[in-house]
Amino acid sequence: MCGIVGYLGTAKAVPVLVSELKCLEYRGYDSAGVAVIEEGRLRVLKAAGKLANLESLLRTENAYATVGIGHTRWATHGAPTDKNAHPHTDSEGQIAVVHNGIIENYRDLKDELISKGCKFASDTDTEVVAHLVSTYYHEDNDMLKAVMTAVRRLKGIYALAIMNVEEPDTIYAVNHHYSLTVGLGDNESFLASDSLAYRQYTNQMVRLDQSEIAVITKNGVRLYGFDGAEASRPPTASDVNAFVADKGQFKHFLHKEISEQPVVLRQTLTKYMPDVNKPVLLRKADTASSGSAPSAGISLTNMQLRGIERIQVVACGTAYHASLIGKYIIEELTSIPVEVEIASECRGRKLLVNERTLTIAVSQSGETADTLAALKDAKSRGSFTLGITNRADSHLAHLTSNLIITQCGIEVSVAATKTYVAQLVSFYLLAMFLAEERDAVDPGRLLELKKGLMLIPTLQEKILGQEEEIRQAANKYKSVQDVVFMGRGFNYPTALEGALKLKELSYIHASGYAAGELKHGPIAVLDEKVPVITILVPGKVYEKTLSNAQEAKARNAQMICVSVEGDQNVHHTFDTILTIPPVDEFLSPLLAVVPLQLFSYFIAEALGKDVDQPRNLAKSVTVE
Ligand code: M6R
């Protein structure tokens, strides 16, 4: 949430800052702004709304400064307006600050600073930092000391970039349990929440530690702990590839990313399961542990894996839904009990994990604050840890030595699609790996499932070939107000994910339920205006799910289903039928979600919604 950038060098700062901000707009798009130092003066340019608004503003400016900081905002404190856009300054306009995170004690600090005569111009928590640093700076004109004294007074987790007009050759950056990286080029330096932002300029980077201050000049960086102790870390080569966002033939990234799912799955399967007759390749290569960049693979020994008595999964949003399916998959194949928690619900609780627990954190970005906090808590209680992420360079990847890296490439659209199916396939592979390590499953059944898994990309392609039918179905339902999704067993979480996709893309209210739960209350909302989407796949819970659908039909609901081709039962019950190819119930979530993603996409598109950047959202949620 929120993206911080900075630049010092010999080039004009503004175009570099804007190019960095473009790479970080996924972190929030409520407003954007830059501050540069020019002719001994601080110039702050900012605009509410997307980065394009700031770009329009900058077109009429001719800033030639070679130093600056910038920000893209996801609003927490204060509405998404011009005045609340970052950067914020002190009363004299001498010190500028951009900020990511929350200053939890900002009210007390604000009262104190107002009593000392500071003039506040915004409703944000951020502004206190500018006034606080300024106050300390004016005590003895020592900027590093002022920053250090100020951050010791802040509560919460945050990252900051700070400039002082009296030190036009320096940017001060602060990281407190966030992510901030410094890029080092030839006679120029960069700052960004995500190294992707400056990857086009340099691949040499220094990642700030958990509570660290960086003093950045165009010639390098010096690092200090909050206690003043200087630290030294050599730069490492970033393993993130420079990324150019390209929609190709598609109108929206979301549509492109849905269409990429078969390729993503093939890549993941080829990497981790090149031969179905051999064990799943999740073990870390012997050579992989050297160097500081995280490497994919599991380093737990067979003894340790056999000793695991419980698995705890922590995740948010779509990753939480993938994890719920992960629970069913792992329990089915390994008989290890699995608990899945919404990561934010782990805060302030006694997490029941120990040295015989494996805690798995699932996060496509690897930066979700709630998920990271839960993982750190589990780690501190002695649990083994494992991360499933799409970003090998993320905070999450640095927190654990057991990693599954999904092979998706960058997901641009805020609504997760390809990373969801990649997380699912990671759970299938992990369950198979654990089952093999613990001799927990009949080898014949395992081989059958592995072969079935290998067919999934081709079956997904078949569903993508039915886009026109799904578009027509979406058109029929685009004007509804409420939608109910339901499924049982492996596809109960598919119902939750279907509802989340519809909500975030179209803003239509939708809820997902375990089909058997509908009769315990939610059925009261049904009438002829409410479509009910049932996920119905042959298997252990097929008949019961069909009965639950009948119960909804008896209340006059509009009936839609996702069912397998050739199922003759569905014609009596459902008005609209979206089909998937026949598939083992165990693997069916990998297929059933695809028509639901497309259904939501086509509704959002028909309603003219901002498909790739839905209102109020951000791709990476870095506040708790
Ligand atoms: O980066 P993460 O996977 O940790 O993100 C978790 C959620 O914020 C994310 O899945 C969110 O729910 C998406 N908007 C869903 O499409």
Side-chain angles (χ1 to χ4, degrees):
M1 240 125 236
C2 301
I4 289 177
V5 298
Y7 174 74
L8 303 113
T10 50
K12 280 188 176 179
V14 167
V16 179
L17 293 172
V18 169
S19 73
E20 290 185 284
L21 286 174
K22 275 188 183 152
C23 299
L24 296 194
E25 212 183 2
Y26 72 86
R27 299 173 77 97
Y29 33 83
D30 284 337
S31 63
V34 295
V36 293
I37 299 176
E38 212 165 66
E39 291 177 344
R41 208 167 56 90
L42 194 65
R43 290 186 70 198
V44 177
L45 298 152
K46 51 192 193 178
K50 293 198 179 171
L51 182 57
N53 296 353
L54 176 68
E55 285 184 275
S56 306
L57 179 70
L58 293 172
R59 239 167 257 139
T60 56
E61 300 287 331
N62 185 21
Y64 49 84
T66 56
V67 54
I69 55 178
H71 189 262
T72 177
R73 178 172 189 241
W74 184 83
T76 61
H77 295 60
T81 55
D82 284 349
K83 95 170 170 182
N84 290 326
H86 300 212
H88 293 284
T89 64
D90 63 340
S91 310
E92 294 79 34
Q94 177 185 345
I95 283 171
V97 173
V98 292
H99 161 223
N100 183 5
I102 293 174
I103 309 299
E104 290 173 356
N105 58 336
Y106 85 101
R107 279 188 189 283
D108 293 345
L109 292 171
K110 190 168 176 173
D111 290 345
E112 175 188 319
L113 289 159
I114 288 172
S115 74
K116 287 182 179 161
C118 296
K119 303 263 178 299
F120 277 76
S122 78
D123 308 319
T124 65
D125 52 338
T126 307
E127 199 183 338
V128 296
V129 181
H131 293 287
L132 201 59
V133 171
S134 175
T135 306
Y136 290 127
Y137 177 71
H138 287 112
E139 283 175 7
D140 51 14
N141 286 356
D142 181 337
M143 188 61 180
L144 178 58
K145 191 171 158 204
V147 171
M148 220 170 262
T149 314
V151 296
R152 286 192 202 126
R153 297 211 51 207
L154 305 179
K155 292 205 176 117
I157 61 171
Y158 53 83
L160 302 163
I162 310 170
M163 283 193 324
N164 181 342
V165 85
E166 287 181 7
E167 289 192 25
D169 301 326
T170 311
I171 293 174
Y172 292 81
V174 183
N175 186 45
H176 189 47
H177 298 283
Y178 251 81
S179 276
L180 213 46
T181 66
V182 177
L184 298 171
D186 191 9
N187 221 14
E188 57 183 0
S189 299
F190 306 83
L191 174 69
S193 310
D194 178 341
S195 60
L196 192 65
Y198 53 73
R199 184 62 189 81
Q200 58 186 305
Y201 305 108
T202 180
N203 81 335
Q204 290 298 298
M205 57 170 276
V206 174
R207 174 177 283 273
L208 268 65
D209 234 340
Q210 286 313 293
S211 294
E212 203 161 55
I213 299 171
V215 181
I216 310 162
T217 65
K218 66 180 179 188
N219 300 316
V221 58
R222 297 181 73 169
L223 304 168
Y224 300 88
F226 282 13
D227 57 1
E230 188 161 358
S232 151
R233 265 194 318 285
T236 54
S238 160
D239 49 9
V240 183
N241 292 327
F243 172 69
V244 183
D246 177 16
K247 288 187 199 138
Q249 84 226 45
F250 295 90
K251 188 171 162 197
H252 296 106
F253 282 107
L254 183 88
H255 195 191
K256 179 171 182 257
E257 287 159 3
I258 292 172
S259 305
E260 282 169 358
Q261 292 179 127
V263 176
V264 161
L265 291 197
R266 266 195 203 101
Q267 276 165 2
T268 308
L269 291 170
T270 311
K271 180 169 163 94
Y272 295 116
M273 199 173 67
D275 183 345
V276 290
N277 294 303
K278 298 217 169 115
V280 174
L281 296 181
L282 281 184
R283 205 155 262 306
K284 197 176 281 239
D286 289 343
T287 51
S289 54
S290 58
S292 60
S295 59
I298 292 176
S299 52
L300 296 173
T301 63
N302 178 268
M303 281 281 281
Q304 287 170 324
L305 290 169
R306 282 178 175 268
I308 290 167
E309 289 174 354
R310 219 180 122 246
I311 292 179
Q312 173 74 64
V313 192
V314 293
C316 303
T318 286
Y320 171 70
H321 299 154
S323 304
L324 288 175
I325 298 176
K327 166 186 166 75
Y328 291 3
I329 298 167
I330 295 173
E331 288 185 345
E332 177 87 6
L333 285 195
T334 70
S335 302
I336 306 172
V338 182
E339 298 285 330
V340 185
E341 288 282 359
I342 292 175
S344 57
E345 283 301 306
C346 299
R347 255 321 202 208
R349 257 178 68 199
K350 187 168 165 193
L351 208 55
L352 295 178
V353 298
N354 57 30
E355 55 293 336
R356 296 180 87 77
T357 311
L358 172 66
T359 301
I360 305 177
V362 187
S363 170
Q364 78 78 23
S365 62
E367 300 294 346
T368 299
D370 292 318
T371 307
L372 297 177
L375 185 72
K376 285 180 195 167
D377 186 4
K379 203 172 167 180
S380 73
R381 292 173 196 270
S383 172
F384 293 119
T385 57
L386 185 150
I388 299 178
T389 182
N390 195 39
R391 294 296 301 270
D393 57 329
S394 64
H395 200 150
L396 171 59
H398 284 83
L399 280 178
T400 172
S401 54
N402 300 297
L403 270 180
I404 302 179
I405 307 289
T406 52
Q407 308 293 305
C408 298
I410 299 289
E411 187 174 64
V412 176
S413 181
V414 166
T417 54
K418 63 178 179 176
T419 54
Y420 172 73
V421 297
Q423 286 162 358
L424 282 184
V425 92
S426 302
F427 273 115
Y428 284 103
L429 292 166
L430 177 64
M432 289 171 176
F433 170 78
L434 290 173
E436 283 167 342
E437 290 279 333
R438 294 164 62 111
D439 301 317
V441 72
D442 166 51
R445 173 69 176 145
L446 190 60
L447 184 61
E448 183 186 21
L449 290 174
K450 282 181 169 180
K451 286 181 178 165
L453 194 53
M454 294 305 277
L455 294 177
I456 294 292
T458 307
L459 300 182
Q460 280 190 343
E461 277 160 356
K462 262 188 105 177
I463 302 169
L464 294 171
Q466 299 163 4
E467 273 194 14
E468 220 19 69
E469 289 92 304
I470 301 171
R471 186 194 292 275
Q472 281 170 23
N475 265 326
K476 262 169 64 183
Y477 297 97
K478 68 179 182 213
S479 307
V480 299
Q481 301 292 310
D482 297 285
V483 180
V484 166
F485 289 73
M486 65 176 182
R488 275 180 183 249
F490 294 107
N491 285 305
Y492 158 46
T494 308
L496 298 179
E497 177 59 10
L500 177 59
K501 286 292 91 90
L502 186 62
K503 268 185 285 210
E504 64 183 339
L505 291 171
S506 71
Y507 318 153
I508 293 172
H509 176 256
S511 300
Y513 297 102
E517 190 63 14
L518 213 65
K519 58 186 175 291
H520 296 286
I523 200 164
V525 306
L526 298 189
D527 62 21
E528 67 290 346
K529 293 195 285 305
V530 180
V532 173
I533 304 186
T534 307
I535 299 125
L536 191 65
V537 177
K540 290 183 195 142
V541 290
Y542 174 83
E543 281 79 14
K544 292 197 192 312
T545 313
L546 195 53
S547 301
N548 298 140
Q550 291 294 352
E551 291 153 14
K553 189 178 173 69
R555 271 77 190 176
N556 287 328
Q558 303 174 51
M559 300 300 291
I560 307 170
C561 73
V562 173
S563 65
V564 300
E565 287 158 10
D567 184 341
Q568 296 307 319
N569 291 326
V570 291
H571 300 285
H572 306 294
T573 311
F574 298 96
D575 314 312
T576 299
I577 299 162
L578 307 174
T579 59
I580 58 172
V583 62
D584 192 309
E585 184 188 25
F586 182 83
L587 299 170
S588 63
L590 287 163
L591 298 187
V593 74
V594 180
L596 298 180
Q597 293 168 337
L598 286 169
F599 183 78
S600 297
Y601 167 59
F602 289 130
I603 288 189
E605 195 209 8
L607 295 176
K609 300 298 184 206
D610 192 344
V611 169
D612 287 326
Q613 293 185 325
R615 69 182 181 197
N616 304 338
L617 300 182
K619 184 78 184 155
S620 179
V621 183
T622 57
V623 291
E624 287 179 279

